[in-house]
Amino acid sequence: MESLRRFAPRILLLMTVVFFVLSLVVSEQESTTMDEKAHIPSAYSYVRYGDMRLNPEHPPLLKDLAGLPLLALNVSFPVNDPLWENGINEQWVMGDKFINCSDPSSGVCNDANRVTFWSRIPITLIALLLGFFIFLWTKELAGPVAGLFAAMLYYFDPNIIGHSHYVTTDIGIAAFLFFSFYYFVKFLEKPTGKNVLLFGIFLGLAQLAKFSAVLVFPIFGMFAVLYGLTISTENEEHPWRKRLLSAWNYIWKYSVGVAICFVLIWILYYLNTMNMPGEKLDIIAGAVFPDRGLGPFAKEFVMATSHNGFLKPLSEYFLGVFMVFARVAGGNTYYFLGGVSNHASPWYFPLVFFLKATLPFLMLLILTTVYTLYRMGKTSVGENVGSFWKLLRVAFHSHIAQWLMVFFVLFYSYVSITGNLNIGFRHLFPILPFLYVLIAKTVFDILKRTEGEATGKVLRILLGGTALVIMAIPVLAYPSYLSYFNPIAGGHANGYRYVTDSNYDWGQDVKRLQKFVESYNLCVGTSFQETECQNLTEKTPPKTGPIDKIRVDYFGGSSPAYYLGNKYVSWHGESAPQAGWYAISVGFLQESIHKAKKPGEPSYEWLQAFDVEHPLARAGDSIFIYYIPEGSLPAAGK
């Protein structure tokens, strides 16, 4: 332990470098994911044109950062396109034109790989910074070795590695929420002007990362009041007067922090909307808000503020907030446990968490939770009511960081489970950094209490073995990080059986499909005798020539035509089956087969006759490749 403590900064640096290099390597291998097709063109248009007409349902901070590297590249943007000038939030079409060269006649044809790779770099840097803050906060709570352990849980989590490079809000909101909590605790412990300023700045950055950060306003407000009310009042003549004055001190300073937060929001929104016509806000509001519920109020608010130069940034901000409420209310269609629905299931997030989290993490989470509850119960036994509440107040003040973290984890989990969006494990990312810290803190508290005992020596050996397993998991899972599932779910090869979407199939494998087609065509001339050709397919390769055409039903943000050229044939599950090659995103496959259908409604049911769950090959994990021989379809239809 002493050597780990002495070399902690170097070990942390090594973990950071490994994480960074691995993220870059995987980023280069993967194609543009679904949500990136909207975020990347928005990112460039924000920093290049100061206009937020694309993707207003998310705040601009992360997209601004992602757009900055693109300014250094020689890229073009369809700013003269009629859909940019007159369309309503045409983020997907603009993404195809900006990233995927879908309309070369417009003069806009960028290198998709280059644009996607460089726009991802800032997100990876944010992921690195989050790892450092996890180390820093844990170090302050439990020492440098505990900090290294928490950082290891983060840096070697395949789910984190999988999302550490995507131009989306998931890593960003986890990071900036964590930063805001860190500086909020600093503010509680010492409410100086400096800490109020830092708290306000990082609260603002969290709000500028994702609108779900609005959840922390009531949480922080409540904890500020409770912290003020539970100060020590030993030997005070008027204890409640002192407590109320303390609470008031925190309330008004918290209000100052919130004011700083909104000043920061206004500044960044001003920079991102200074060249955007107010009429655009009116058009978007009129198109996206329904004429019921919150819709009429939201529409009137945006239209009343969009033409005032000072209020326009706030108009854009609240437009996004209202759009998120409308999006959540609308739900989403998703595949889950053999069914397809647009109604959220309360079992979705608990099961996804259980199947995608690594086994060492789950084991540590369960054991430390049980131990913490045991310690709390043991401490409270035998205490009278007065002593119990005094003990609770002391514990609240001395362990405020842990209380705040636990409350947020429980509250955010409840909101996610009872919410109407079942999209993916990534939506639970905001709670993961807190769980890493809490686990590490508890583990090293146990080691401290058993130091010098035989039990402590055994626990240290077990912890060392657990650490080796944690570090081995991303090595064994490489490069299947987005599609990672733990062994209980059957690993990354079988996760699609439970859920798809961003848990498994987000469009990341088109470049791997291109590589498969190129490699297959090279191997045809060798009759698949070479070792690399023998490993190319899961089954014996069909006796056919090179792949001239392949029907592709793809879910994601890339363009199969960009990578496959004239070999690409657009395809959908409703199309009549034909003989030949197929490449199908497993998300579409699962939804088509398992959705409720009317008699005779076309779908991929016909593939059941060809052993649909055992394709000829896969591109990565998410694109299933089939070959349907001539003359086999009539038999399949019988």
Side-chain angles (χ1 to χ4, degrees):
M1 286 291 185
E2 185 57 39
S3 59
L4 287 175
R5 189 177 295 109
R6 187 167 61 253
F7 292 106
R10 297 180 187 180
I11 297 172
L12 178 68
L13 178 61
L14 179 61
M15 287 195 292
T16 304
V17 170
V18 170
F19 179 86
F20 182 63
V21 172
L22 191 55
S23 295
L24 293 186
V25 169
V26 176
S27 176
E28 192 279 330
Q29 294 174 355
E30 294 185 337
S31 47
T32 313
T33 58
M34 188 66 190
D35 285 21
E36 287 182 300
K37 186 164 76 169
H39 286 287
I40 292 175
S42 304
Y44 182 75
S45 66
Y46 291 6
V47 297
R48 177 66 179 83
Y49 301 109
D51 193 315
M52 272 190 71
R53 69 184 65 188
L54 299 181
N55 198 238
E57 62 267 35
H58 294 290
L61 174 61
L62 299 172
K63 285 174 287 188
D64 284 345
L65 295 173
L68 290 175
L70 301 182
L71 293 177
L73 304 181
N74 184 25
V75 298
S76 52
F77 189 83
V79 71
N80 295 319
D81 191 289
L83 288 176
W84 167 263
E85 296 176 347
N86 305 312
I88 301 171
N89 191 20
E90 298 290 348
Q91 53 191 358
W92 305 108
V93 178
M94 291 295 108
D96 267 328
K97 295 185 176 186
F98 180 64
I99 303 171
N100 296 322
C101 194
S102 64
D103 185 15
S105 63
S106 67
V108 177
C109 192
N110 302 306
D111 184 328
N113 296 327
R114 194 161 166 251
V115 167
T116 301
F117 179 83
W118 283 103
S119 63
R120 289 171 169 176
I121 297 292
I123 305 302
T124 302
L125 295 177
I126 292 171
L128 295 179
L129 187 61
L130 175 55
F132 171 76
F133 264 81
I134 290 171
F135 167 80
L136 177 65
W137 204 352
T138 312
K139 175 187 173 184
E140 293 176 2
L141 293 173
V145 183
L148 286 178
F149 189 74
M152 181 189 66
L153 289 172
Y154 170 77
Y155 281 134
F156 289 89
D157 188 327
N159 297 289
I160 297 296
I161 299 170
H163 287 265
S164 64
H165 51 276
Y166 295 141
V167 185
T168 58
T169 58
D170 304 304
I171 285 291
I173 186 58
F176 285 104
L177 270 179
F178 191 79
F179 304 159
S180 69
F181 273 75
Y182 176 79
Y183 284 104
F184 177 66
V185 170
K186 295 293 185 187
F187 156 71
L188 290 180
E189 293 174 340
K190 188 178 290 187
T192 62
K194 174 187 173 182
N195 285 339
V196 171
L197 176 64
L198 287 172
F199 158 62
I201 289 173
F202 281 93
L203 178 62
L205 292 175
Q207 304 305 316
L208 288 165
K210 193 172 184 178
F211 288 121
S212 58
V214 298
L215 292 173
V216 303
F217 284 124
I219 294 174
F220 286 172
M222 179 181 71
F223 270 78
V225 173
L226 289 175
Y227 198 83
L229 290 175
T230 54
I231 62 168
S232 175
T233 55
E234 291 289 337
N235 303 318
E236 289 286 335
E237 186 176 351
H238 303 288
W240 274 105
R241 183 171 181 271
K242 183 178 180 180
R243 290 173 188 168
L244 290 173
L245 287 174
S246 174
W248 168 248
N249 182 52
Y250 277 103
I251 289 171
W252 81 262
K253 288 184 177 180
Y254 170 71
S255 301
V256 172
V258 172
I260 293 170
C261 156
F262 275 95
V263 168
L264 194 63
I265 290 172
W266 185 92
I267 291 172
L268 196 62
Y269 266 87
Y270 173 79
L271 294 174
N272 281 279
T273 60
M274 57 185 179
N275 296 324
M276 180 178 178
E279 291 78 9
K280 267 294 171 188
L281 284 165
D282 297 347
I283 293 170
I284 296 172
V288 301
F289 293 135
D291 293 323
R292 63 184 186 281
L294 195 63
F297 169 77
K299 191 183 304 182
E300 288 180 14
F301 177 86
V302 171
M303 290 182 175
T305 54
S306 60
H307 297 275
N308 182 293
F310 179 79
L311 296 177
K312 186 170 68 172
L314 296 179
S315 180
E316 177 78 21
Y317 172 75
F318 284 106
L319 168 69
V321 172
F322 293 141
M323 287 180 73
V324 168
F325 281 120
R327 171 79 175 89
V328 171
N332 63 289
T333 300
Y334 64 102
Y335 167 79
F336 179 55
L337 295 181
V340 178
S341 176
N342 60 356
H343 299 292
S345 167
W347 294 105
Y348 180 88
F349 281 112
L351 186 70
V352 167
F353 183 91
F354 179 70
L355 295 178
K356 284 190 70 70
T358 66
L359 294 185
F361 173 76
L362 289 174
M363 177 193 70
L364 288 167
L365 179 61
I366 293 170
L367 292 177
T368 53
T369 300
V370 170
Y371 176 81
T372 300
L373 293 175
Y374 164 75
R375 288 285 302 176
M376 291 175 64
K378 183 178 179 181
T379 303
S380 62
V381 169
E383 299 286 349
N384 59 49
V385 174
S387 298
F388 174 77
W389 284 111
K390 180 181 177 181
L391 185 67
L392 194 62
R393 288 199 304 271
V394 172
F396 184 75
H397 265 252
S398 58
H399 302 290
I400 183 60
Q402 293 96 304
W403 281 91
L404 186 59
M405 291 180 192
V406 170
F407 181 86
F408 178 72
V409 167
L410 295 176
F411 178 74
Y412 190 89
S413 300
Y414 172 79
V415 171
S416 299
I417 291 170
T418 58
N420 200 36
L421 285 181
N422 286 170
I423 292 180
F425 182 55
R426 61 193 176 94
H427 278 213
L428 295 180
F429 279 9
I431 69 173
L432 294 184
F434 299 104
L435 291 178
Y436 301 140
V437 175
L438 290 168
I439 287 171
K441 174 72 168 67
T442 306
V443 165
F444 280 81
D445 282 348
I446 296 171
L447 293 180
K448 186 176 180 180
R449 290 191 179 97
T450 57
E451 190 171 3
E453 301 175 8
T455 303
K457 294 178 181 178
V458 172
L459 290 176
R460 281 168 172 77
I461 294 172
L462 291 175
L463 186 62
T466 302
L468 292 176
V469 173
I470 290 169
M471 290 186 285
I473 287 173
V475 176
L476 298 173
Y478 175 86
S480 300
Y481 296 133
L482 183 139
S483 54
Y484 176 82
F485 277 76
N486 64 41
I488 295 175
H492 63 86
N494 296 292
Y496 73 92
R497 301 175 189 271
Y498 303 95
V499 287
T500 54
D501 206 282
S502 61
N503 298 297
Y504 198 88
D505 171 19
W506 217 11
Q508 73 274 17
D509 286 328
V510 170
K511 291 169 76 172
R512 294 180 176 119
L513 175 61
Q514 177 194 27
K515 184 177 180 180
F516 169 84
V517 172
E518 292 173 350
S519 300
Y520 185 92
N521 286 346
L522 286 174
C523 288
V524 166
T526 71
S527 299
F528 291 84
Q529 296 304 307
E530 297 178 10
T531 302
E532 60 269 23
C533 294
Q534 292 173 353
N535 296 331
L536 189 61
T537 59
E538 296 177 4
K539 297 181 179 180
T540 303
K543 305 300 182 182
T544 182
I547 300 174
D548 294 321
K549 298 290 181 183
I550 183 166
R551 298 163 181 83
V552 182
D553 191 2
Y554 166 69
F555 172 79
S558 294
S559 167
Y562 182 87
Y563 292 98
L564 299 174
N566 58 12
K567 295 181 179 63
Y568 166 71
V569 176
S570 179
W571 200 256
H572 301 284
E574 294 78 17
S575 305
Q578 301 175 14
W581 287 92
Y582 289 82
I584 307 171
S585 288
V586 71
F588 281 156
L589 191 64
Q590 293 288 68
E591 288 186 15
S592 177
I593 291 175
H594 294 283
K595 69 180 180 181
K597 294 180 285 291
K598 299 177 182 177
E601 183 179 346
S603 71
Y604 281 122
E605 287 281 359
W606 60 273
L607 268 176
Q608 300 278 26
F610 298 93
D611 197 5
V612 65
E613 291 196 347
H614 297 89
L616 177 73
R618 294 194 198 184
D621 288 314
S622 69
I623 299 179
F624 282 26
I625 300 169
Y626 301 92
Y627 179 74
I628 309 301
E630 292 285 350
S632 63
L633 284 171
K638 290 181 180 179

